[in-house]
Amino acid sequence: MKERLEIILNRYNYLCDELLKPEIYEDYKKMQEVSKEKNSIEKIVDTYKKYNGILDDIEAAKEMSKEADMKEFALEELDNLHTEKEKLEDTLKRMLLPKDPNDEKNVIMEIRGAAGGDEANIFAGDLFRMYSKYAEKQGWKLEVTHEVAGESGGYSQIEFMLSGEAVYSKLKYESGAHRVQRVPETESAGRVHTSTATVLVMPEVEEIDIEIKDSDIRVDITRSSGAGGQCVNTTDSAVRITHLPTNIVVYCQVERSQIKNKERAMQILKTRLYDLRQREQEEKLGNERRSKIGTGDRSEKIRTYNYPQNRLTDHRINYTVMHLDKIMEGDLEDLIESLIAEDERMRLGEHERENS
């Protein structure tokens, strides 16, 4: 581990030196690449420097323990330092785990009302609002690309893009079935109903990730319907693209321009095809997808939102909190950090087993 950390530290110092050279500002693309790489390893370097500082402190405490009048204090200090050293070693091991290549990407999300009729659609709308609030707290940009409103509120389906810093790394754990338990507004007897909405999170693909032949798609131009989240006009600007080999259909009406809607729809289609390809590859490899947190099938029940008890439970990591009201206002950070930590713990255990 120390050898890898020394290589990262040397690379970090090299990148810092590169950014100090005046000529790098003449090449904006290179400057961006260097800055991005530097920022991506900065936390590891800072933690490693702190770790080395603890090692120095341990040696100093050992020397201090040789002095009779300082021995008791030094031994107590050594216990604390060794505890801190172990924590930092565990943190560094997690940081050195292989990164998900999609973590830095933007995402395309889809929420659908599932079991429960009108109440499921209303809950889908509540989930969309929750993610919108969380995106706002993170400083991300949200763009609705397609929506089908529910008759009693919410959405039977809504698709949107989230753009910002490392969006997929935070939201990749949200795919699956979300279950709600509450008394619907239409329930006169006050009985608690159970409904579900499904969430799908896909990393936005780059041009080099997937190729689509013109002969494999059919493009239909239709009249925009509804507000589309952004006051869509009523001209024939909406675009529906059908991918003939897979029968995947993508619809986009968010832009006023037919050309822009087509570009956006193609981007969404590429993302859907990329997600399909990833799923097929993982199925061939066995149960890898099932062993991961948050990348399961849409039908997998991942979470329960219990309104009468103000309780949220994530079934994958046995995480329960009694402030559902705050969660629904976009206060997702603690939940997402817990999912990330458990995912890292599982991968670290698998990595150690492979190398034992």
Side-chain angles (χ1 to χ4, degrees), residues 62-305:
K62 284 179 180 178
E63 288 299 317
M64 192 186 300
S65 68
K66 295 175 183 178
E67 301 175 20
D69 58 335
M70 297 295 291
K71 185 172 183 180
E72 185 177 346
F73 171 78
L75 291 176
E76 183 180 344
E77 184 68 9
L78 274 171
D79 284 341
N80 294 332
L81 289 168
H82 279 296
T83 300
E84 183 66 17
K85 173 176 171 283
E86 288 174 5
K87 287 181 181 178
L88 289 173
E89 282 176 347
D90 183 61
T91 300
L92 286 167
K93 285 178 183 177
R94 291 170 186 263
M95 287 180 163
L96 291 174
L97 286 169
K99 298 290 184 183
D100 185 334
N102 293 320
D103 273 353
E104 298 300 315
K105 293 184 178 180
N106 300 325
V107 304
I108 293 172
M109 291 185 68
E110 176 191 276
I111 304 174
R112 290 175 180 262
D118 288 342
E119 173 63 8
N121 293 341
I122 292 170
F123 180 51
D126 293 338
L127 288 177
F128 172 65
R129 181 178 179 275
M130 178 185 77
Y131 290 123
S132 300
K133 291 278 188 180
Y134 178 65
E136 185 179 346
K137 292 175 189 288
Q138 297 294 311
W140 298 339
K141 180 183 177 182
L142 186 151
E143 296 176 274
V144 175
T145 55
H146 179 50
E147 65 178 58
V148 180
E151 290 184 6
S152 300
Y155 304 97
S156 62
Q157 178 184 353
I158 183 164
E159 297 175 6
F160 54 99
M161 298 180 69
L162 287 171
S163 309
E165 184 179 348
V167 183
Y168 186 73
S169 70
K170 296 285 187 75
L171 292 180
K172 63 183 177 182
Y173 306 101
E174 297 303 301
S175 289
H178 296 239
R179 180 175 69 173
V180 63
Q181 295 173 327
R182 64 184 176 188
V183 179
E185 293 180 7
T186 54
E187 171 56 59
S188 57
R191 293 173 299 182
V192 174
H193 288 222
T194 298
S195 306
T196 58
T198 59
V199 175
L200 180 62
V201 181
M202 299 169 287
E204 184 182 19
V205 300
E206 299 167 1
E207 289 295 326
I208 57 172
D209 286 329
I210 200 157
E211 220 176 294
I212 300 174
K213 297 177 182 177
D214 290 340
S215 58
D216 285 344
I217 60 173
R218 184 179 72 241
V219 180
D220 299 305
I221 308 301
T222 65
R223 186 172 293 272
S224 299
S225 59
Q230 295 184 16
C231 302
V232 172
N233 58 358
T234 55
T235 60
D236 293 333
S237 60
V239 174
R240 182 174 60 240
I241 298 179
T242 304
H243 186 250
L244 301 174
T246 61
N247 206 33
I248 291 174
V249 179
V250 173
Y251 185 87
C252 187
Q253 62 174 25
V254 68
E255 303 285 356
R256 293 180 180 275
S257 161
Q258 184 185 121
I259 294 173
K260 289 183 178 179
N261 276 328
K262 184 180 177 183
E263 289 175 354
R264 188 69 62 87
M266 285 296 293
Q267 187 67 18
I268 295 170
L269 176 59
K270 287 180 181 180
T271 296
R272 288 189 175 279
L273 289 172
Y274 179 79
D275 182 69
L276 177 64
R277 187 172 69 185
Q278 291 293 99
R279 288 172 181 270
E280 289 174 346
Q281 288 175 352
E282 286 176 355
E283 284 175 10
K284 288 178 182 178
L285 293 172
N287 294 328
E288 181 185 352
R289 178 176 287 272
R290 297 188 186 94
S291 70
K292 293 177 181 176
I293 291 178
T295 56
D297 294 330
R298 192 200 295 264
S299 61
E300 177 193 358
K301 184 184 73 177
I302 65 169
R303 198 174 294 155
T304 296
Y305 303 71

Side-chain angles (χ1 to χ4, degrees), residues 173-174 178 293-294 300-305 311-321 335-336 338-339:
Y173 306 101
E174 297 303 301
H178 296 239
I293 291 178
E300 177 193 358
K301 184 184 73 177
I302 65 169
R303 198 174 294 155
T304 296
Y305 303 71
R311 184 185 76 234
L312 176 133
T313 300
D314 193 292
H315 305 289
R316 297 163 295 177
I317 59 173
N318 296 320
Y319 174 97
T320 298
V321 291
L335 169 59
I336 287 174
S338 297
L339 287 161

Side-chain angles (χ1 to χ4, degrees), residues 37-51:
E37 185 181 352
K38 171 184 168 288
N39 292 337
S40 70
I41 60 176
E42 195 160 36
K43 285 184 179 179
I44 298 176
V45 170
D46 289 344
T47 305
Y48 182 46
K49 287 178 179 178
K50 187 177 179 181
Y51 175 74

